């Protein structure tokens, strides 16, 4: 994921924060297993500009669904 000017990026599932690693430029990546979770996953980022640098801004939100098998 490319998030210009971000200094930290996390994926939040429930109360668990998964830190993404910065690669080239402002590209962030990571691997997160979601198989044991259902609910919402949020991508949040912190930017250095502004008065309060401790504020994280929401970037994306995903709904994690339980894997169900279907018969064909």
């Amino acid at each position: 994921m490319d998030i210009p000017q971000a200094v930290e990026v996390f994926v939040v599932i429930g109360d668990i924060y998964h830190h993404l690693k910065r690669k080239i430029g402002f590209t962030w990546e990571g691997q997160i297993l979601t198989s044991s979770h259902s609910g919402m996953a949020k991508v949040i980022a912190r930017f250095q500009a502004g008065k309060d640098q401790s504020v994280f801004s929401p970037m994306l939100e995903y709904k994690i669904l339980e894997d169900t098998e279907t018969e064909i």
Side-chain angles (χ1 to χ4, degrees), residues 52-68:
D52 191 356
Q53 295 179 12
S54 64
V55 173
F56 284 85
S57 301
M59 300 286 107
L60 291 170
E61 195 169 289
Y62 295 93
K63 186 173 185 178
I64 302 171
L65 301 175
E66 188 175 324
D67 187 22
T68 57

Side-chain angles (χ1 to χ4, degrees), residues 1 3 6 9 42-47 56-61:
M1 163 176 297
I3 305 176
V9 178
K42 298 177 184 181
V43 178
I44 60 172
R46 184 172 67 86
F47 299 91
F56 284 85
S57 301
M59 300 286 107
L60 291 170
E61 195 169 289

